[in-house]
Amino acid sequence: MNDRLPGFATLAVHAGAQPDPTTGARATPIYQTTSFVFNDADHAASLFGLQAFGNIYTRIGNPTQAVLEERIAALEGGTAALAVASGHAAQVVVLQQLLMPGDEFIAARKLYGGSINQFTHAFKSFGWNVVWADPDDVDSFERALTPRTKAIFIESIANPAGSITDIEAIAAVARTAGVPLIVDNTLATPYLIRPIDHGADIVVHSLTKFLGGHGNSLGGVIVDAGTFDWSKDNKYPMLSEPRPEYHGIRIQETFGNFAFAIACRVLGLRDLGPAISPFNAFMILTGIETLPLRMARHCENAKAVAEYLAGHPAVAAVNYSGLAGNPYNNLARKYAPKGAGAVFTFSLKGGYEAGVNLVSNLKLFSHLANVGDTRSLVIHPASTTHSQLDDAAKVKSGAAPDVVRLSIGIEDKEDLIADLEQALGA
Amino acid sequence: MNHDNYDDDYIRGILNGVKSIAMVGASPVNVRPSYFAFKYLAQRGYDMIPVNPGQVGKSLLDKPFVASLRDIGRPVDMIDIFRNSSHIMPVVEEALRLDPLPKVIWMQLGGRDDAAAARAEAAGIKVVMNRCPKIEYGRLSSEISWMGVNSRTLSSKRAPVPTQGMRLSLNRQSLGGGETAASDRATKNKTDPA
């Protein structure tokens, strides 16, 4: 018997990839092509009818993208995945399979500011209504349930303050309610947290962040855990009902435990169109090969910087769940024992003004709106990523006006601390 | 025999070993899962026989339908049952009256009858339940990876370009069986009478 589960680092390098059948190329080639020839009319019809495995057109799938998809599915412990153009695109495609106009989904209030914006405003015009709950109060999810609730959405490590969500407790609410739990695992990556192991039914990522890891390519991904029964109670007609665009195929019946990923591809991506470019898929795939090495270093550096800041006289508070005494430290030990991630916030005694000064005085940290880069990054969320929120909502989401957010890179930690030292003293 | 989760070697041995497959419940309607599986397995070189009493006189991909297993009139290696769980036992009883016996009885995704499985196994027949041979073949060959599906296999070997009618190698390194831990748990929760 040769059934043996390789370790995470082996999967990060190998899963999904094999030498190219035509050329023997060992690195996954960039299949920079829009379309793929059919063998004959029957082959074409089989592919269009979803009867055969293969490639048609890069808006539906591409061989470079497919390697990326299988690799992330393997790392997350899912049955299948679909890569798309961005993390935002992943969220649209997921919810399009689950919600009809007038339906609701419950979302944790602590989210990436762009997600709060997308859920509040963009989705309103689709008739998808977000109901907010407090990730620190599991009962608030239960209270938010109605007969129209179709999904629950949380972040595993929540932006911007790096707080840890009790995934298992919220998964239990979702299971009782008969709705899928969607977990945005961007800030943790499967190296730190595998939400499917804790009860998630669907995992989404912005690949742009730690998975790609180099701040050079946009991408998003949807991972199907293969755990949810879509046929129950006819609540999810996109999966359980005959699809007219495929002559009456029922997606769940045909594709079993990877039906959700297939629905996202053939109903969502095909018709909404947010395909990932093959080049970006290649860049992200290359990044993932070093994910375990980078994440270990990101976390080691983040802890050192957080400890330094916690001891600095100009700093009012550091919100890093990896620090003893942080309110999320117990959850961090449970869910992310290898490290509490590398994105966190802190506040300065000098308030808003001091935060703005710090950002302008830093010489190594880059002031920009991204996280999960090899480079260390800094931003003032209240005036940027969370600027569209009113002051009360800013405080609730962890982006109060005096808060500065850091994304710690993989440089030498002594150099990062020296840069903060000179900027805080300036 | 544990029918909740199969070693890849067990499935691999079956798919590498059988040549002829009689599909009970094969549908000529080209959006039905049985049609998908029939067509795929035929393209991968299996000798496919459609069994469906309502379709006698017609053909499926140029293979004439037969009404029942005994009407096949020649030995078959595997019976693939595309029927609901409640219709499985009579098919297995019919299979047990064949001479020679089939080597394998396979019940499709969603299909499971433990009593029928026990009777087949007592007669020396290998049984697979609640799986699709198309998905398993696609998974073990990694052909299913085109769809972003986790094949749970690895290989550092260069594979040939698949062509019509070609059998693919199923001998990649397996990553602990076909089901992920999470999907396996979910299946068990669903089938447990709790």
Side-chain angles (χ1 to χ4, degrees), chain A residues 1-6 11 14-15 17-24 26 42 46 49-55 63 66 69-70 73-74 77-81 196 225-227 229 246-247 249-250 253-254 256-258 262 265, chain B residues 6-9 12 30-33 35-36 39-40 43 109 134-135 138 141-162 164 172-177 179-180 182-183 185-186 190:
Chain A
M1 195 177 102
N2 64 354
D3 282 4
R4 176 188 144 72
L5 189 60
L11 292 177
H14 287 282
Q18 60 187 329
D20 182 66
T22 306
T23 62
R26 188 61 186 96
D42 183 59
S46 299
L50 305 179
Q51 295 155 5
F53 309 121
N55 297 294
E69 290 164 344
E70 185 173 1
T79 52
I196 290 171
T227 47
D229 180 5
Y246 288 100
H247 310 294
I249 287 177
R250 287 183 168 88
E253 173 191 54
T254 308
N257 67 12
F258 53 91
I262 296 291
R265 183 186 305 276
Chain B
Y6 300 102
D7 285 341
D8 278 357
D9 275 351
R12 187 181 282 127
N30 70 0
V31 298
R32 299 301 303 154
Y35 179 92
F36 283 36
K39 184 171 180 179
Y40 177 81
Q43 282 169 342
L109 263 187
K134 175 187 177 185
I135 289 173
S141 68
S142 89
E143 200 182 9
I144 204 168
S145 301
W146 296 127
M147 308 289 282
V149 173
N150 184 1
S151 72
R152 297 181 59 71
T153 64
L154 294 180
S155 175
S156 60
K157 296 287 182 284
R158 178 175 170 180
V161 181
Q164 179 78 16
R172 297 160 56 85
Q173 183 189 345
S174 286
L175 310 187
E179 291 279 296
T180 62
S183 66
R185 262 198 316 276
K190 202 175 151 188

Side-chain angles (χ1 to χ4, degrees), chain B residues 57-75:
Chain B
K58 296 182 207 156
S59 295
L60 179 49
L61 304 174
D62 298 330
K63 314 276 185 186
F65 276 100
V66 296
S68 66
L69 292 174
R70 66 183 168 276
D71 293 339
I72 295 171
R74 59 185 172 96

Side-chain angles (χ1 to χ4, degrees), chain A residues 19 98 179 212 296 320 362 381 407 424:
Chain A
L98 304 179
V179 301
Y320 183 59
L362 285 164
S407 172
L424 286 166

Side-chain angles (χ1 to χ4, degrees), chain A residues 3 64 140 402:
Chain A
D3 282 4
T64 312
S140 71
D402 60 339

